[in-house]
Every structure is written in structure tokens, then in C-alpha cells.
């Protein structure tokens, strides 16, 4: 049961039953906290709502769900042989709207509706805007979405079809943020709203449940805003507190593109925060975030779990997308393919052992990116 919100930086408590964005004290992201003494095991729902006791929506409406969550965890034996590794893929391509952003949107929109919010605004690299616009439509909320002009075309069409107002801007997601700055609606930007992360954390719960309530050695995540990685780490910590898992947590790996790698640079510099990445560009559009708001939380999660951060280039990403299709019959999104490039690089430098059990996240459907090719 949701108890309160806590600032990720200064720890100040905030009332979870009021509409909240950032910490009133230090303008950092707020994290949902629960009374973990009253959490039941998962229900039978074949969706992320099976973890309702650790979700912020007080009265989930079964009719609202589009079946988001409970995606398969699939072994990749041929690719594992080729890379001398032990790889399992959490396949988020099967989710409504074709990306794991639907997890954050389903929970974030459901909670927004519960709190009486009538409309949302957000800058996006495409997939989040599509997911939030569509779930907002389902919930009867209005939305204004801004995205860079080279965001995947299909995500524009999803937003437009939903009836949302779409604003296309030159530049990156940072420029898109400026384009909705003055819109008078609830700001649902990455980590400026506390509940998107709660939806995304269910990836962590599912991985552990699907492994029979044990953790893998390593989890590799394509990192943009980093919400998925922070969420998975949060889920692991909650499960440890609940007594559902014990022992060391999986080493968490943030993968970025060499065209936009602020987290990798900060990790290598031993810095607590990232600095703005100039002229950011990558075909892996979902991870094109020049300065994530939650950078300090991402870096903490990686360091606390003895993980690492690694950048891979777009040519390698597209090569590995094709290699995965050829060997496994799976057409990854570029962001997902980056995790395979990371396995390849980390095996080469010995950071990964051949018998380390590695879970990679394919965060979306390859078919959302027509025309992206070697
Ligand atoms: C948004 C997105 C990411 C990055 O997610 P974060 O949790 O914000 O780091 C990765 N892959 C895809 C397909 C995305 O849409
Ligand atoms: Zn604070």
C-alpha cells in the first residue's frame, strides 16, 4: 500500500495523495514508498497489475488495462553460443503501443486519473508520447505532446490518432521540453512525475518471478532517461525488503550510444552527476537523452550493484540487430540491439564471464523503426 513520496536526493517526505511533481525542497525526483508489511504475493492477473500491492494506484480498474506487462523472458541460445555468453531476453516488444513505455503510461495515467488530473503534457523521443497519449485517451484525459522532428514517424501517427495535440520541434528532447513549458497541464515528463517509474519497475518484479524468485547475475538496460534502470533497481530493493529475494543484487549495466553517452562519461569520470551531451544523435532514438534528470540515481544504482556503463556505436548496434534476427528470428528495436552489442563488448574485455546469467531488455518492437538500416 502506497504510504508517501520521498525525495531521491534529500529524503524529504511528500503527501502521495496530493498532486506532486518534483521535491518542494530541492527539485529532485520523488519516489513512491509503500507499507511493505502488508504486501501479498502476486495475483493471477496476466499483466503488471498482478503486483498491485506495490503499485501506487489505490483502486486499479481492471477495465482500464490493455494487458500491459508479463512479457516473456526468452533464452537466446544461438546468440549465446556465438558470443560465448548466457543471454536471456525480456521481450517488451509484445506490449501495447510496441514499447515498454506502456508500463509507465498505464500506471502513471491510472494514478493521474485517480488524483483528478484532467490533462497531461510531456516532451518525448516518441515512444513515451505515443504510450501516454493513447493511455490518456483511454482514461479520458487530454494531452499535449512535443517531440523532435526526427523521432520515429510511427510515434507521431500514434499521438495524432489519439486526439492529442502534437508539437514537432527541431533538435532533441531537451528542445521539446521548451515547447510545452508554458502549457497549463500536468507535467508528466520523465521523473517529474512520480508514478511512471512505478509502472516500469514491474520489469524487475517480472524478471525475478519468471526466474522462479531468483535474480540473474547481470541485467543490461538501454539507458536514456534511465527510468527503467532506476525502476528495476527499486523493484529489486523492495523485493529484498519483502524477503522475496536475498543475496547480492544483479550487477546493473547502463548501455548508451557513442552518439549520446552522458551516463557513461560520468561513470568513467567517477562523477555523481552527468553533464549535457552536445550534438546528441543516435538511431537508437529512445536513448537519445543528453542530460537525464535522474542521472545521479542511475549512477548510484550502477555503482551500488557493482555494475558498469558502456557506450556502443550505431553501426555495431544495427549489425547486432541483424545478427539477432539472423540467429534467433527476433527483430529487436535499436535500443534493444544495443544491449547485445554491450554483451559482445563486455565479453571481449572480460567484465562478463561466459557463465554469467545475463538478462537483456528489448525495450520495444523493431517494426516501430522502418528505414533504420546499416
Ligand atoms: C524510452 C526508451 C528507452 C530508454 O528508457 P529509459 O527508461 O527512459 O532510460 C529505451 N528503449 C526504448 C525503445 C525507449 O522507447
Ligand atoms: Zn529533495
Amino acid at each position: 500500500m502506497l504510504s508517501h513520496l520521498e525525495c531521491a536526493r534529500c529524503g524529504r517526505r511528500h503527501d502521495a495523495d496530493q498532486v506532486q511533481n518534483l521535491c518542494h525542497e530541492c527539485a529532485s525526483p520523488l519516489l513512491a514508498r509503500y507499507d511493505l508489511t502488508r504486501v501479498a504475493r502476486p495475483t493471477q492477473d496476466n499483466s503488471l497489475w498482478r503486483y498491485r500491492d506495490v503499485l501506487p494506484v489505490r483502486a486499479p480498474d481492471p477495465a482500464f488495462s490493455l494487458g500491459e506487462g508479463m512479457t516473456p523472458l526468452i533464452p537466446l541460445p544461438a546468440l549465446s553460443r556465438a558470443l560465448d555468453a548466457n543471454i536471456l531476453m525480456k521481450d517488451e516488444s509484445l506490449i501495447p503501443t510496441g514499447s515498454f513505455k506502456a508500463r509507465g503510461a498505464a500506471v502513471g495515467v491510472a494514478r493521474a486519473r485517480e488524483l483528478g488530473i484532467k490533462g497531461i503534457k510531456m516532451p518525448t523521443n516518441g515512444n513515451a508520447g505515443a504510450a501516454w497519449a493513447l493511455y490518456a485517451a483511454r482514461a479520458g484525459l487530454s494531452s499535449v505532446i512535443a517531440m523532435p522532428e526526427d523521432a520515429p514517424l510511427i510515434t507521431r501517427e500514434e499521438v495524432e490518432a489519439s486526439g492529442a495535440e502534437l508539437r514537432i520541434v527541431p533538435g532533441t528532447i531537451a528542445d521539446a521540453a521548451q515547447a510545452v513549458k508554458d502549457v497549463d497541464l500536468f507535467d508528466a515528463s520523465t521523473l517529474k512525475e512520480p508514478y511512471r517509474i512505478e509502472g516500469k519497475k514491474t520489469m524487475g518484479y517480472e524478471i525475478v518471478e519468471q526466474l522462479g524468485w531468483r535474480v540473474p547475475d547481470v541485467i543490461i538496460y538501454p539507458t536514456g532517461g534511465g527510468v527503467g534502470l532506476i525502476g528495476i533497481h527499486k523493484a529489486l530493493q523492495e523485493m529484498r525488503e519483502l524477503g522475496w529475494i536475498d543475496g547480492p543484487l544483479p550487477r546493473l549495466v547502463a548501455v548508451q550510444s557513442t552518439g549520446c553517452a552522458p551516463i557513461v562519461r560520468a561513470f568513467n569520470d567517477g562523477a555523481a552527476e552527468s553533464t549535457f551531451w552536445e550534438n546528441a544523435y543516435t538511431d537508437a532514438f529512445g536513448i537519445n537523452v543528453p542530460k537525464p534528470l535522474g542521472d545521479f540515481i542511475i549512477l548510484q544504482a550502477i555503482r551500488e550493484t557493482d555494475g558498469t556503463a558502456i557506450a556502443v556505436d550505431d553501426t555495431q548496434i544495427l549489425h547486432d540487430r541483424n545478427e539477432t534476427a539472423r540467429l534467433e528470428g527476433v527483430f529487436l528495436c535499436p535500443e534493444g540491439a544495443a544491449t547485445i552489442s554491450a554483451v559482445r563488448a563486455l565479453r571481449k574485455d572480460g567484465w562478463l564471464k561466459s557463465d554469467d546469467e545475463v538478462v537483456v531488455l528489448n525495450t520495444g518492437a523493431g517494426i516501430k523503426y522502418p528505414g533504420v538500416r546499416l
Side-chain angles (χ1 to χ4, degrees), residues 291-363:
K291 169 76 174 98
L293 182 64
D295 51 5
F296 66 103
I297 322 175
I298 304 170
L299 289 158
Q300 271 169 16
I302 298 170
R303 291 185 174 124
E304 275 176 31
T305 59
D306 287 321
T308 191
I310 183 170
V312 293
D313 70 50
D314 279 20
T315 308
Q316 187 69 51
I317 290 173
L318 294 179
H319 168 87
D320 284 327
R321 182 192 67 178
N322 293 1
E323 194 70 354
T324 307
R326 190 174 68 81
L327 291 175
E328 298 285 0
V330 173
F331 189 54
L332 301 170
C333 63
E335 298 85 349
T339 66
I340 302 301
S341 303
V343 171
R344 183 187 294 283
L346 293 170
R347 275 298 291 132
K348 201 175 249 171
D349 77 10
W351 191 90
L352 261 184
K353 304 283 174 266
S354 63
D355 61 350
D356 279 336
E357 186 178 48
V358 181
V359 171
V360 301
L361 275 296
N362 180 39
T363 40

Coordinates of all heavy atoms in Angstrom, one line a residue, residues 291-363:
K291 N 20.9 14.9 -21.1 CA 21.2 15.2 -19.7 C 20.0 14.7 -18.9 O 19.0 15.4 -18.6 CB 21.4 16.7 -19.5 CG 21.4 17.2 -18.0 CD 22.7 16.8 -17.3 CE 22.7 17.4 -15.9 NZ 22.4 16.5 -14.8
P292 N 20.0 13.4 -18.5 CA 18.9 12.8 -17.7 C 18.7 13.5 -16.3 O 19.7 13.7 -15.6 CB 19.2 11.3 -17.6 CG 20.5 11.1 -18.3 CD 21.1 12.4 -18.7
L293 N 17.5 13.8 -16.0 CA 17.2 14.4 -14.7 C 17.6 13.5 -13.5 O 18.0 13.9 -12.5 CB 15.7 14.7 -14.6 CG 15.1 15.4 -13.4 CD1 15.7 16.8 -13.3 CD2 13.6 15.5 -13.5
G294 N 17.4 12.2 -13.8 CA 17.7 11.2 -12.7 C 19.1 10.6 -12.8 O 19.4 9.6 -12.3
D295 N 20.0 11.4 -13.5 CA 21.4 10.9 -13.6 C 22.0 10.4 -12.4 O 22.6 9.3 -12.3 CB 22.3 11.9 -14.4 CG 22.3 13.3 -13.7 OD1 21.6 13.4 -12.6 OD2 22.9 14.2 -14.3
F296 N 21.9 11.1 -11.3 CA 22.5 10.7 -10.0 C 21.9 9.4 -9.5 O 22.7 8.6 -8.8 CB 22.4 11.9 -9.0 CG 21.1 12.2 -8.5 CD1 20.6 11.7 -7.2 CD2 20.2 12.9 -9.2 CE1 19.4 12.0 -6.7 CE2 18.9 13.2 -8.8 CZ 18.5 12.8 -7.5
I297 N 20.7 9.2 -9.7 CA 20.0 7.9 -9.2 C 20.5 6.7 -10.1 O 20.8 5.7 -9.6 CB 18.5 8.0 -9.3 CG1 18.0 9.4 -8.9 CG2 17.9 6.9 -8.3 CD1 16.5 9.6 -9.0
I298 N 20.7 7.0 -11.4 CA 21.2 5.9 -12.3 C 22.6 5.5 -11.9 O 22.9 4.3 -11.7 CB 21.2 6.4 -13.8 CG1 19.9 6.9 -14.3 CG2 21.8 5.3 -14.7 CD1 19.9 7.7 -15.6
L299 N 23.4 6.6 -11.7 CA 24.8 6.3 -11.3 C 24.9 5.6 -10.0 O 25.7 4.6 -9.8 CB 25.6 7.6 -11.3 CG 25.8 8.2 -12.7 CD1 26.1 9.7 -12.7 CD2 27.0 7.4 -13.5
Q300 N 24.1 6.0 -9.0 CA 24.1 5.2 -7.7 C 23.7 3.8 -7.9 O 24.3 2.9 -7.3 CB 23.0 5.9 -6.8 CG 23.5 7.0 -5.9 CD 22.3 7.7 -5.2 OE1 21.2 7.2 -5.2 NE2 22.6 8.9 -4.7
A301 N 22.7 3.5 -8.7 CA 22.2 2.2 -8.9 C 23.3 1.3 -9.5 O 23.5 0.1 -9.1 CB 21.0 2.1 -9.8
I302 N 24.0 1.8 -10.5 CA 25.1 1.1 -11.2 C 26.2 0.8 -10.2 O 26.7 -0.3 -10.1 CB 25.6 1.9 -12.3 CG1 24.6 2.1 -13.4 CG2 26.8 1.2 -13.0 CD1 25.0 3.1 -14.5
R303 N 26.6 1.8 -9.4 CA 27.7 1.7 -8.5 C 27.4 0.8 -7.3 O 28.2 -0.1 -7.0 CB 28.2 3.0 -8.0 CG 28.8 3.8 -9.2 CD 29.4 5.2 -8.7 NE 30.2 5.8 -9.8 CZ 29.9 7.1 -10.2 NH1 29.0 7.8 -9.6 NH2 30.6 7.6 -11.2
E304 N 26.2 0.9 -6.8 CA 25.8 0.1 -5.6 C 25.7 -1.4 -6.0 O 25.9 -2.2 -5.1 CB 24.4 0.5 -5.1 CG 24.5 1.7 -4.2 CD 23.1 2.2 -3.7 OE1 22.2 1.3 -3.7 OE2 22.9 3.4 -3.5
T305 N 25.5 -1.7 -7.2 CA 25.4 -3.1 -7.6 C 26.6 -3.6 -8.3 O 26.6 -4.7 -8.9 CB 24.2 -3.3 -8.6 OG1 24.4 -2.5 -9.7 CG2 22.8 -2.9 -7.9
D306 N 27.7 -2.9 -8.2 CA 29.0 -3.3 -8.9 C 28.7 -3.4 -10.4 O 29.4 -4.3 -11.1 CB 29.5 -4.6 -8.4 CG 30.1 -4.4 -7.0 OD1 30.8 -3.4 -6.8 OD2 30.0 -5.3 -6.2
G307 N 27.9 -2.6 -11.0 CA 27.6 -2.7 -12.4 C 28.6 -1.8 -13.2 O 29.6 -1.4 -12.7
T308 N 28.1 -1.5 -14.4 CA 29.0 -0.6 -15.2 C 28.2 0.2 -16.2 O 26.9 -0.1 -16.3 CB 30.1 -1.4 -15.9 OG1 31.1 -0.6 -16.5 CG2 29.5 -2.3 -17.0
A309 N 28.8 1.0 -17.0 CA 28.1 1.8 -18.0 C 29.0 1.7 -19.3 O 30.2 1.8 -19.2 CB 27.9 3.2 -17.6
I310 N 28.4 1.5 -20.4 CA 29.2 1.2 -21.6 C 28.5 1.9 -22.8 O 27.3 1.9 -22.9 CB 29.4 -0.3 -21.8 CG1 30.3 -0.5 -23.0 CG2 28.1 -1.0 -21.9 CD1 30.7 -2.0 -23.2
A311 N 29.3 2.5 -23.7 CA 28.7 3.0 -25.0 C 29.1 2.2 -26.1 O 30.2 1.6 -26.2 CB 29.3 4.4 -25.2
V312 N 28.1 2.0 -27.0 CA 28.3 1.2 -28.3 C 27.9 2.0 -29.5 O 27.0 2.9 -29.3 CB 27.6 -0.1 -28.2 CG1 28.1 -1.1 -27.1 CG2 26.1 0.1 -28.0
D313 N 28.6 1.8 -30.6 CA 28.2 2.7 -31.7 C 27.1 2.2 -32.6 O 26.8 1.0 -32.6 CB 29.5 3.2 -32.5 CG 30.1 2.1 -33.3 OD1 29.3 1.4 -34.1 OD2 31.3 1.8 -33.3
D314 N 26.5 3.1 -33.3 CA 25.3 2.8 -34.1 C 25.5 1.7 -35.1 O 24.6 0.9 -35.4 CB 24.7 4.1 -34.7 CG 23.9 4.9 -33.7 OD1 24.1 4.7 -32.5 OD2 23.0 5.7 -34.2
T315 N 26.7 1.7 -35.7 CA 27.0 0.7 -36.7 C 26.9 -0.7 -36.1 O 26.3 -1.7 -36.6 CB 28.4 0.9 -37.4 OG1 28.4 2.3 -37.8 CG2 28.6 0.0 -38.5
Q316 N 27.6 -0.8 -34.9 CA 27.6 -2.1 -34.2 C 26.1 -2.4 -33.7 O 25.7 -3.6 -33.8 CB 28.5 -1.9 -32.9 CG 28.7 -3.2 -32.2 CD 29.5 -4.2 -33.0 OE1 30.6 -3.9 -33.5 NE2 29.0 -5.4 -33.2
I317 N 25.4 -1.5 -33.3 CA 24.0 -1.7 -32.9 C 23.2 -2.3 -34.0 O 22.5 -3.3 -33.8 CB 23.3 -0.4 -32.4 CG1 24.0 0.1 -31.1 CG2 21.8 -0.6 -32.2 CD1 23.5 1.5 -30.6
L318 N 23.3 -1.7 -35.2 CA 22.5 -2.2 -36.3 C 23.0 -3.6 -36.8 O 22.2 -4.5 -37.2 CB 22.4 -1.2 -37.5 CG 21.7 0.1 -37.1 CD1 21.7 1.1 -38.2 CD2 20.3 -0.2 -36.6
H319 N 24.3 -3.8 -36.7 CA 24.9 -5.1 -37.0 C 24.3 -6.1 -36.1 O 23.9 -7.2 -36.5 CB 26.4 -5.0 -36.9 CG 27.1 -6.4 -36.9 ND1 27.5 -7.0 -38.1 CD2 27.4 -7.2 -35.9 CE1 28.0 -8.2 -37.8 NE2 27.9 -8.3 -36.5
D320 N 24.3 -5.8 -34.8 CA 23.8 -6.8 -33.8 C 22.3 -7.0 -33.9 O 21.8 -8.0 -33.5 CB 24.2 -6.4 -32.4 CG 25.7 -6.7 -32.2 OD1 26.2 -7.7 -32.8 OD2 26.4 -6.0 -31.5
R321 N 21.6 -5.9 -34.4 CA 20.1 -6.1 -34.6 C 20.0 -7.2 -35.7 O 19.2 -8.1 -35.5 CB 19.5 -4.8 -35.1 CG 18.0 -5.0 -35.3 CD 17.4 -3.8 -36.0 NE 17.9 -3.7 -37.4 CZ 17.5 -2.8 -38.3 NH1 16.6 -1.9 -37.9 NH2 18.0 -2.7 -39.5
N322 N 20.7 -7.1 -36.8 CA 20.6 -8.0 -37.8 C 21.1 -9.4 -37.4 O 20.5 -10.4 -37.8 CB 21.4 -7.5 -39.1 CG 20.8 -6.3 -39.7 OD1 19.8 -5.8 -39.1 ND2 21.4 -5.8 -40.7
E323 N 22.2 -9.4 -36.7 CA 22.7 -10.7 -36.2 C 21.7 -11.5 -35.3 O 21.5 -12.7 -35.4 CB 24.0 -10.4 -35.4 CG 24.9 -11.6 -35.1 CD 25.6 -12.1 -36.3 OE1 25.4 -11.7 -37.4 OE2 26.4 -13.0 -36.1
T324 N 21.0 -10.7 -34.5 CA 20.0 -11.3 -33.6 C 18.8 -11.8 -34.5 O 18.3 -12.9 -34.2 CB 19.5 -10.3 -32.6 OG1 20.6 -9.8 -31.9 CG2 18.6 -11.0 -31.5
A325 N 18.4 -11.1 -35.5 CA 17.4 -11.6 -36.4 C 17.8 -12.8 -37.1 O 17.0 -13.8 -37.2 CB 17.0 -10.5 -37.4
R326 N 19.1 -12.9 -37.6 CA 19.6 -14.0 -38.3 C 19.7 -15.2 -37.5 O 19.3 -16.3 -37.9 CB 20.9 -13.6 -38.9 CG 21.5 -14.5 -39.9 CD 22.8 -14.0 -40.5 NE 23.9 -13.9 -39.6 CZ 24.6 -15.0 -39.2 NH1 24.4 -16.1 -39.8 NH2 25.6 -14.8 -38.3
L327 N 20.2 -15.1 -36.2 CA 20.5 -16.2 -35.4 C 19.3 -16.7 -34.6 O 19.1 -17.8 -34.2 CB 21.6 -16.0 -34.4 CG 23.0 -15.8 -35.1 CD1 24.1 -15.4 -34.1 CD2 23.4 -17.2 -35.8
E328 N 18.4 -15.7 -34.2 CA 17.3 -16.0 -33.3 C 15.9 -15.8 -33.8 O 14.9 -16.1 -33.2 CB 17.5 -15.2 -32.0 CG 18.8 -15.5 -31.2 CD 18.7 -16.8 -30.5 OE1 17.7 -17.5 -30.6 OE2 19.7 -17.1 -29.8
G329 N 15.8 -15.1 -35.0 CA 14.5 -14.8 -35.5 C 13.8 -13.7 -34.7 O 12.6 -13.6 -34.8
V330 N 14.5 -12.9 -34.1 CA 14.0 -11.8 -33.3 C 14.4 -10.5 -33.8 O 15.6 -10.3 -34.0 CB 14.4 -11.9 -31.8 CG1 14.0 -10.7 -31.0 CG2 14.0 -13.2 -31.1
F331 N 13.5 -9.6 -34.2 CA 13.8 -8.3 -34.8 C 13.7 -7.3 -33.7 O 12.7 -6.7 -33.4 CB 12.8 -8.0 -35.9 CG 13.2 -6.8 -36.7 CD1 14.5 -6.7 -37.3 CD2 12.3 -5.8 -36.9 CE1 14.8 -5.6 -38.0 CE2 12.6 -4.7 -37.7 CZ 13.9 -4.6 -38.2
L332 N 14.9 -7.0 -33.1 CA 15.0 -6.1 -32.0 C 14.8 -4.6 -32.4 O 15.1 -4.3 -33.5 CB 16.4 -6.2 -31.3 CG 16.8 -7.5 -30.8 CD1 18.3 -7.5 -30.5 CD2 16.0 -7.9 -29.6
C333 N 14.4 -3.8 -31.5 CA 14.5 -2.3 -31.7 C 16.0 -1.9 -31.5 O 16.7 -2.7 -30.9 CB 13.6 -1.6 -30.7 SG 14.0 -1.7 -29.0
P334 N 16.4 -0.8 -32.1 CA 17.8 -0.4 -32.0 C 18.3 -0.4 -30.5 O 19.4 -0.7 -30.2 CB 17.9 0.9 -32.7 CG 16.7 1.0 -33.6 CD 15.6 0.1 -32.9
E335 N 17.4 0.2 -29.7 CA 17.8 0.3 -28.2 C 18.1 -1.1 -27.7 O 19.0 -1.3 -26.9 CB 16.7 1.0 -27.4 CG 16.4 2.4 -27.9 CD 15.4 2.5 -29.0 OE1 15.1 1.4 -29.6 OE2 15.0 3.6 -29.3
G336 N 17.2 -2.1 -28.0 CA 17.4 -3.5 -27.5 C 18.6 -4.1 -28.1 O 19.4 -4.8 -27.4
A337 N 18.9 -3.8 -29.4 CA 20.1 -4.3 -30.0 C 21.4 -3.8 -29.4 O 22.4 -4.5 -29.3 CB 20.1 -3.9 -31.5
A338 N 21.3 -2.6 -28.8 CA 22.4 -2.0 -28.1 C 22.9 -2.9 -26.9 O 24.0 -3.0 -26.6 CB 22.1 -0.6 -27.6
T339 N 21.9 -3.6 -26.3 CA 22.2 -4.4 -25.2 C 23.0 -5.7 -25.7 O 23.9 -6.2 -24.9 CB 21.0 -4.9 -24.4 OG1 20.2 -5.8 -25.2 CG2 20.1 -3.8 -23.9
I340 N 22.8 -6.1 -26.9 CA 23.5 -7.2 -27.4 C 25.0 -6.8 -27.8 O 25.9 -7.5 -27.5 CB 22.8 -7.8 -28.7 CG1 21.4 -8.2 -28.4 CG2 23.7 -8.9 -29.3 CD1 21.2 -9.3 -27.4
S341 N 25.1 -5.6 -28.3 CA 26.4 -5.0 -28.6 C 27.2 -4.9 -27.2 O 28.4 -5.1 -27.2 CB 26.3 -3.6 -29.2 OG 25.6 -3.7 -30.4
A342 N 26.4 -4.6 -26.2 CA 27.1 -4.4 -24.9 C 27.6 -5.8 -24.4 O 28.7 -5.9 -23.8 CB 26.1 -3.8 -23.8
V343 N 26.8 -6.8 -24.6 CA 27.2 -8.2 -24.2 C 28.5 -8.5 -24.9 O 29.5 -9.0 -24.3 CB 26.2 -9.3 -24.5 CG1 26.7 -10.7 -24.3 CG2 24.9 -9.1 -23.6
R344 N 28.5 -8.2 -26.2 CA 29.7 -8.5 -27.1 C 30.9 -7.8 -26.5 O 32.0 -8.4 -26.3 CB 29.4 -8.1 -28.5 CG 30.4 -8.3 -29.5 CD 30.1 -7.7 -30.8 NE 28.9 -8.2 -31.5 CZ 28.9 -9.4 -32.2 NH1 30.0 -10.1 -32.3 NH2 27.8 -9.8 -32.8
A345 N 30.8 -6.5 -26.2 CA 31.9 -5.7 -25.8 C 32.4 -6.2 -24.4 O 33.6 -6.2 -24.1 CB 31.6 -4.2 -25.8
L346 N 31.4 -6.4 -23.5 CA 31.8 -6.8 -22.1 C 32.3 -8.2 -22.0 O 33.1 -8.5 -21.1 CB 30.5 -6.6 -21.2 CG 30.1 -5.2 -21.0 CD1 28.7 -5.2 -20.3 CD2 31.1 -4.4 -20.2
R347 N 32.0 -9.1 -23.0 CA 32.6 -10.4 -23.0 C 34.1 -10.2 -23.5 O 35.0 -10.8 -22.9 CB 31.9 -11.3 -24.0 CG 30.7 -12.1 -23.4 CD 31.2 -13.0 -22.2 NE 32.0 -14.1 -22.7 CZ 33.1 -14.5 -22.2 NH1 33.6 -13.9 -21.1 NH2 33.7 -15.6 -22.6
K348 N 34.3 -9.4 -24.5 CA 35.6 -9.1 -25.0 C 36.6 -8.6 -24.0 O 37.7 -9.1 -23.9 CB 35.5 -8.2 -26.2 CG 36.7 -8.3 -27.2 CD 36.5 -7.3 -28.4 CE 36.2 -8.1 -29.7 NZ 35.8 -7.2 -30.7
D349 N 36.1 -7.7 -23.2 CA 37.1 -7.1 -22.2 C 37.0 -7.9 -20.8 O 37.7 -7.5 -19.9 CB 36.9 -5.6 -22.0 CG 35.7 -5.3 -21.1 OD1 35.0 -6.2 -20.5 OD2 35.3 -4.1 -21.1
G350 N 36.2 -9.0 -20.8 CA 36.3 -9.9 -19.6 C 35.4 -9.5 -18.4 O 35.3 -10.2 -17.5
W351 N 34.7 -8.3 -18.6 CA 33.9 -7.9 -17.5 C 32.7 -8.9 -17.2 O 32.4 -9.2 -16.1 CB 33.3 -6.5 -17.8 CG 32.6 -5.9 -16.6 CD1 33.2 -5.0 -15.7 CD2 31.2 -6.0 -16.2 NE1 32.2 -4.6 -14.7 CE2 31.0 -5.2 -15.1 CE3 30.1 -6.7 -16.8 CZ2 29.8 -5.1 -14.4 CZ3 28.9 -6.5 -16.1 CH2 28.7 -5.8 -15.0
L352 N 32.2 -9.5 -18.4 CA 31.2 -10.5 -18.3 C 31.9 -11.9 -18.4 O 32.8 -12.0 -19.3 CB 30.3 -10.4 -19.5 CG 28.9 -9.8 -19.3 CD1 28.2 -9.9 -20.7 CD2 28.1 -10.4 -18.2
K353 N 31.6 -12.8 -17.6 CA 32.1 -14.2 -17.7 C 31.1 -15.0 -18.6 O 29.9 -14.7 -18.7 CB 32.2 -14.9 -16.3 CG 33.1 -14.1 -15.3 CD 34.6 -14.2 -15.6 CE 35.4 -13.3 -14.8 NZ 35.8 -12.1 -15.4
S354 N 31.6 -16.1 -19.2 CA 30.7 -16.8 -20.1 C 29.6 -17.5 -19.4 O 28.5 -17.7 -20.0 CB 31.5 -17.8 -20.9 OG 32.1 -18.8 -20.0
D355 N 29.7 -17.8 -18.1 CA 28.6 -18.4 -17.4 C 27.8 -17.4 -16.6 O 26.8 -17.8 -15.9 CB 29.1 -19.6 -16.6 CG 30.0 -19.1 -15.5 OD1 30.5 -17.9 -15.5 OD2 30.3 -19.9 -14.6
D356 N 28.0 -16.1 -16.7 CA 27.2 -15.1 -16.0 C 25.8 -15.2 -16.7 O 25.7 -15.1 -17.9 CB 27.7 -13.7 -16.2 CG 28.8 -13.3 -15.2 OD1 28.9 -13.9 -14.1 OD2 29.6 -12.4 -15.6
E357 N 24.8 -15.3 -15.9 CA 23.4 -15.3 -16.4 C 23.0 -13.8 -16.7 O 22.9 -13.1 -15.7 CB 22.4 -16.0 -15.5 CG 21.0 -16.1 -16.1 CD 20.1 -16.8 -15.1 OE1 20.1 -16.5 -13.9 OE2 19.4 -17.8 -15.6
V358 N 22.8 -13.5 -17.9 CA 22.6 -12.1 -18.3 C 21.2 -11.9 -18.8 O 20.8 -12.6 -19.8 CB 23.6 -11.6 -19.4 CG1 23.3 -10.2 -19.8 CG2 25.0 -11.9 -19.0
V359 N 20.4 -10.9 -18.3 CA 19.1 -10.6 -18.8 C 19.3 -9.3 -19.6 O 19.7 -8.3 -19.0 CB 18.0 -10.5 -17.7 CG1 16.7 -9.9 -18.3 CG2 17.8 -11.9 -17.1
V360 N 18.9 -9.3 -20.9 CA 18.9 -8.0 -21.6 C 17.5 -7.6 -21.9 O 16.6 -8.4 -22.0 CB 19.7 -8.2 -23.0 CG1 21.1 -8.6 -22.8 CG2 19.0 -9.1 -23.9
L361 N 17.3 -6.3 -21.9 CA 15.9 -5.8 -22.2 C 15.8 -5.4 -23.6 O 16.5 -4.5 -24.1 CB 15.7 -4.5 -21.3 CG 15.2 -4.7 -19.8 CD1 13.8 -5.4 -19.8 CD2 16.2 -5.5 -19.0
N362 N 14.9 -6.0 -24.3 CA 14.5 -5.5 -25.7 C 13.3 -4.6 -25.4 O 12.2 -5.0 -25.2 CB 14.1 -6.6 -26.6 CG 13.7 -6.0 -28.0 OD1 14.3 -5.0 -28.4 ND2 12.7 -6.5 -28.6
T363 N 13.6 -3.3 -25.3 CA 12.6 -2.3 -24.8 C 11.4 -2.0 -25.8 O 10.5 -1.3 -25.3 CB 13.3 -1.0 -24.4 OG1 14.3 -0.7 -25.4 CG2 14.0 -1.2 -23.1

